[in-house]
Structure formats: C-alpha cells, structure tokens
Amino acid sequence: MSGDVMLHIKQALNAGQRQSLLEHLKNSLHVAGDVHASRKPHQLFVPVDPAKASPHSVLAAVRERGYDARLVDL
C-alpha cells in the first residue's frame, strides 16, 4: 500500500531542476509510482511504499540536493 508524501520546497524550481529532482527521487527511493508536481510551483507529491521509504527519507533526499524543503501534513 502506498501513500503520497507532500513536500513544500522553498526555492522556485525551473523546469530542468524540477525534472532532475523528480528523477532523483524516483531512482534513489524506488517510489511506489510516478512522482508528480502540483499545479503550485513549490509542491511535490511523492508516492511511497512505507516498507521501502519513509516520509523523512524523501525529505532527506530532497535536502541532499540542496533544497530547503518541509513535509506537509495533511
């Protein structure tokens, strides 16, 4: 079973940066589906399988790329 982790990224990402980050998350975390961006430029939704990745591991992977990000609790 998977669930979406919602992230808020402080920096405004251009299309290339956003695509690079999405690919990094897909490849490094083996997420449960397609990582997708919100219509809001600072939000990302990452589907995770709790057995493989925690919300905090997603956050850490984004921060490793140098972005200031926060988890959004729904």
Side-chain angles (χ1 to χ4, degrees):
M1 176 195 229
S2 68
D4 279 353
V5 172
M6 184 175 163
L7 295 172
H8 179 270
I9 300 174
K10 186 174 182 178
Q11 294 86 352
L13 305 179
N14 65 36
Q17 291 170 317
R18 181 177 289 265
Q19 187 60 35
S20 176
L21 179 58
L22 295 176
E23 289 299 318
H24 172 69
L25 294 175
K26 283 171 50 176
N27 294 330
S28 66
L29 297 175
H30 308 287
V31 296
D34 286 334
V35 177
H36 51 280
S38 165
R39 286 184 242 177
K40 296 182 180 182
H42 295 278
Q43 292 179 347
L44 290 177
F45 295 93
V46 182
V48 296
D49 178 346
K52 295 181 180 180
S54 71
H56 293 287
S57 65
V58 174
L59 180 62
V62 172
R63 288 180 173 170
E64 284 173 1
R65 299 296 288 229
Y67 298 112
D68 182 11
R70 305 273 187 271
L71 291 172
V72 177
D73 188 17
L74 299 175

